[in-house]
Amino acid sequence: MAGGSRLRVWWAALGGLMVVLAVLTGCAGPFQYYEGTGLHDVTAAEVAGGWENVEGTRVVLREDGTALLEKLDGQDFDFEDGWRLSGTGTWQLSDDDGGQAVRLVLTSRTRVGRRSPATATDTSTPEPPSTYVWSFYVDRDQHDELKLFFFYGDPDIGNTYVMTRETGS
């Protein structure tokens, strides 16, 4: 009987370990630890210009490193707050092992919009930031055209906010 008792303890310990491992890895979705596109051949001159999103977002990245933003949503979980920022800022193209990214910094907010109107009684909506930093991954589509994107919402889901060249740019 002692052997059966020891076996039950062993199985209980193994079951507990499995639960702990499941909890620790349960939030590690495919995009939570995204390491980049692997793209390394883009120049700042190629990235400069107008960019747009289907939601009416517009970003102009000027060759001198300044930027104009219109109705740009928050990145990652900030997207859930529903604010859309407009203003001016700076940008820089960076390159690391995972690929290239555009770091866009809002330095002067001129306007705040909302994706969906907040009710007057909704006090849980946080105040939109007066400055903000986005990191856009740089990639190419199937036609070799540049696109910029970041993830929004829950990282386990992997939703992408994609910016494409402004029509006519």
Side-chain angles (χ1 to χ4, degrees):
M1 198 59 155
S5 179
R6 226 178 297 152
L7 188 58
R8 273 191 297 257
V9 169
W10 187 84
W11 279 110
L14 182 60
L17 178 63
M18 295 300 286
V19 168
V20 168
L21 288 174
V23 168
L24 290 176
T25 61
C27 293
F31 299 101
Q32 186 170 2
Y33 302 108
Y34 186 73
E35 293 188 21
T37 62
L39 198 60
H40 298 282
D41 64 347
V42 176
T43 66
E46 286 180 281
V47 174
W51 296 88
E52 63 187 356
N53 178 285
V54 295
E55 298 293 322
T57 299
R58 183 173 181 260
V59 173
V60 177
L61 305 175
R62 297 183 182 122
E63 289 187 24
D64 66 359
T66 61
L68 174 67
L69 299 75
E70 295 178 22
K71 301 179 185 176
L72 188 53
D73 295 285
Q75 188 170 345
D76 299 324
F77 283 112
D78 291 338
F79 183 85
E80 306 298 331
D81 294 338
W83 46 255
R84 308 186 85 199
L85 302 177
S86 297
T88 58
T90 61
W91 72 277
Q92 182 177 22
L93 180 65
S94 66
D95 194 350
D96 63 23
D97 291 342
Q100 292 174 291
V102 170
R103 183 174 189 262
L104 178 60
V105 179
L106 174 71
T107 56
S108 178
R109 183 181 81 185
T110 58
R111 189 171 59 248
V112 175
R114 296 258 173 222
R115 259 193 329 280
S116 58
T119 62
T121 58
D122 186 6
T123 59
S124 66
T125 305
E127 176 67 25
S130 57
T131 62
Y132 195 79
V133 178
W134 292 266
S135 291
F136 286 90
Y137 293 103
V138 180
D139 202 3
R140 294 192 187 276
D141 65 14
Q142 66 272 18
H143 304 291
D144 208 32
E145 298 292 326
L146 283 183
K147 66 179 180 177
L148 306 176
F149 70 95
F150 62 76
F151 294 106
Y152 69 90
D154 186 336
D156 291 335
I157 297 172
N159 292 322
T160 54
Y161 192 95
V162 179
M163 301 288 293
T164 57
R165 275 286 174 205
E166 199 171 49
T167 307
S169 290

